[in-house]
Amino acid sequence: MESHELHLDRARGTSFGSVAEQYDRYRPEAPDELIDELTAGRPTRVLDVGCGTGKVARTLARRGLAVLGVEADERMADVARGHGVEVEVAPFEAWDDAGRRFDLLTCGDAWHWIDPDAGVAKAARVLATGGTMAWFWNSSQVEEPVASAFARVYEQHAPEIVWVWGPRDTTRSERVPLSGRDAFSPIEEKVYRRERVLTADQWVGLVATSSDHLRLGAERLAALLRVVHGTIESLGGHVRMQHETTALICHRRPASSTG
């Protein structure tokens, strides 16, 4: 299946629920600089699409915003609710908005699980005029010599996984989901960079929450993670990487401008 068709694989898209607590522990927070930008206009009604365990929603709530999450997996939603996030369980495309409108719509590391056409139409429907839509994703590039060591490990134990240690191949549905859509302003792209250093435990905890790893099955995944952990320990016990969050931001145009 091509990367831009991931939304068709619902089983893979909801596989994260099997490791919901681990996902919540190891997945990175959204950059403060991005949250600063999204809250600068003082939105009062926020919708977090594909909210997962509520990591983005909680960050926004700490800024004093009222946030509603929409999440397709009940297990992920339960973790988010445990952190005080209000969540409604449904795929975004099928979610009943009940006429509600929002000033800000966010989607972190989840837009590729949403049907691009239906998702865009729903976003246009629920965003108030002038409202902001921001979808963003994370990727990291591991530094040498760990990157070369990982390449050898994965070639032997999981050759179908190819981007753990290098730049992510951005899916088409993430990068241009609103192309040619008159309901939205032109897309502005912003990239937030920082260095991260993870221990061997933190690294294997993180990668074990990715869908490509979960697809290996419990036995293969456990064997792979043992080798990865040992490899990191043999190279100093940590993984240093350049981490990027790429955000695409646009605004809902007035209905009169959509032609």
Side-chain angles (χ1 to χ4, degrees):
M1 181 175 293
E2 296 294 331
S3 59
H4 61 274
E5 296 177 334
L6 283 174
H7 67 278
L8 299 174
D9 192 344
R10 289 295 184 183
R12 183 174 176 182
T14 56
S15 64
F16 307 102
S18 64
V19 290
E21 294 285 354
Q22 187 172 342
Y23 186 105
D24 191 53
R25 179 179 180 182
Y26 290 109
R27 288 294 182 108
E29 302 281 349
D32 287 340
E33 298 90 338
L34 172 58
I35 300 301
D36 289 343
E37 173 151 355
L38 298 180
T39 58
R42 299 185 179 181
T44 58
R45 301 159 296 174
V46 183
L47 182 67
D48 188 29
V49 174
C51 73
T53 61
K55 295 185 79 71
V56 174
R58 281 138 54 189
T59 303
L60 292 165
R62 288 195 292 267
R63 303 295 183 96
L65 304 181
V67 186
L68 172 66
V70 176
E71 168 55 42
D73 190 281
E74 181 69 52
R75 298 164 296 180
M76 299 285 273
D78 280 344
V79 175
R81 293 182 183 122
H83 291 291
V85 178
E86 181 184 357
V87 185
E88 297 181 7
V89 176
F92 177 56
E93 308 93 316
W95 169 67
D96 182 8
D97 62 75
R100 291 167 289 184
R101 297 297 177 262
F102 301 87
D103 307 306
L104 172 63
L105 185 154
T106 56
C107 183
D109 266 321
W111 192 262
H112 49 281
W113 301 116
I114 296 170
D115 179 278
D117 293 324
V120 168
K122 180 60 72 70
R125 173 182 170 86
V126 302
L127 266 179
T129 297
T132 300
M133 179 175 176
W135 63 107
F136 39 94
W137 61 92
N138 296 292
S139 62
S140 299
Q141 185 163 1
V142 175
E143 295 185 347
E144 295 291 355
V146 177
S148 294
F150 278 179
R152 293 190 293 271
V153 168
Y154 279 81
E155 178 62 30
Q156 180 178 354
H157 295 277
E160 62 267 54
I161 299 176
V162 296
W163 62 265
V164 173
W165 57 89
R168 182 173 174 180
D169 179 17
T170 306
T171 66
R172 186 174 72 188
S173 60
E174 280 175 334
R175 183 157 297 278
V176 288
L178 308 186
S179 177
R181 307 305 179 100
D182 290 339
F184 294 92
S185 68
I187 296 169
E188 181 180 10
E189 179 173 330
K190 297 195 173 184
V191 180
Y192 305 86
R193 297 181 175 90
R194 61 188 170 114
E195 183 178 84
R196 298 183 69 202
V197 180
L198 302 184
T199 65
D201 288 344
Q202 290 171 328
W203 178 264
V204 299
L206 172 63
V207 299
T209 68
S210 63
S211 64
D212 50 3
H213 283 69
L214 292 170
R215 294 175 78 195
L216 295 175
E219 185 173 342
R220 284 188 69 199
L221 178 58
L224 171 65
L225 295 182
R226 283 194 297 270
V227 177
V228 169
H229 192 284
T231 299
I232 296 170
E233 291 291 359
S234 71
L235 293 171
H238 65 269
V239 177
R240 186 180 301 275
M241 57 185 173
Q242 300 305 313
H243 182 81
E244 290 188 354
T245 300
T246 303
L248 303 182
I249 302 171
C250 62
H251 304 282
R252 182 66 166 91
R253 286 172 165 162
S256 60
S257 69
T258 64

